[in-house]
Amino acid sequence: MNKITIYTSEMCPYCIKAKKLLKMLNLDFEEINSDGNFDEMCESLSQKFNRPGISTVPQIIINDHYIGGYDDLEHLYKTKKLDEFLK
């Protein structure tokens, strides 16, 4: 089973688009709202995935692989490379 985590913010249009794409693909995901601890979330993900400068949402992790934001997820989907990250 896939473990998909998406870090979001309440009013973020790209977060809404990312969740919509994941739902369209029938993929279950855990949503973590970063409102209230945004800076901590950015720092934690930057350190965990060795990606300095994370400063936006959504942030998408699939099976412990850092995907990035909505544009990255959409690109993987359109180029049919998303399956490489899914079990």
Side-chain angles (χ1 to χ4, degrees):
M1 172 165 240
N2 293 300
K3 182 177 192 274
I4 301 172
T5 306
I6 179 170
Y7 293 84
T8 64
S9 180
E10 191 71 29
M11 300 301 292
C12 166
Y14 289 100
C15 297
I16 294 167
K17 289 172 79 170
K19 292 186 291 184
K20 184 177 179 178
L21 177 56
L22 292 170
K23 287 176 185 176
M24 182 192 80
L25 297 172
N26 293 316
L27 295 171
D28 293 327
F29 58 89
E30 175 188 12
E31 179 178 4
I32 299 175
N33 186 299
S34 66
D35 293 337
N37 67 340
F38 183 78
D39 292 337
E40 292 171 32
M41 180 271 306
C42 292
E43 181 65 26
S44 174
L45 291 177
S46 291
Q47 288 180 3
K48 181 175 181 177
F49 294 103
N50 196 26
R51 302 277 180 157
I54 289 177
S55 61
T56 61
V57 287
Q59 292 297 317
I60 303 159
I61 316 302
I62 298 178
N63 296 323
D64 292 322
H65 289 86
Y66 176 79
I67 302 301
Y70 172 73
D71 290 339
D72 302 300
L73 178 66
E74 182 183 45
H75 176 75
L76 289 174
Y77 170 67
K78 286 184 174 181
T79 60
K80 308 221 184 295
K81 293 183 181 178
L82 184 58
D83 289 340
E84 295 173 18
F85 295 94
L86 300 170
K87 295 178 181 175

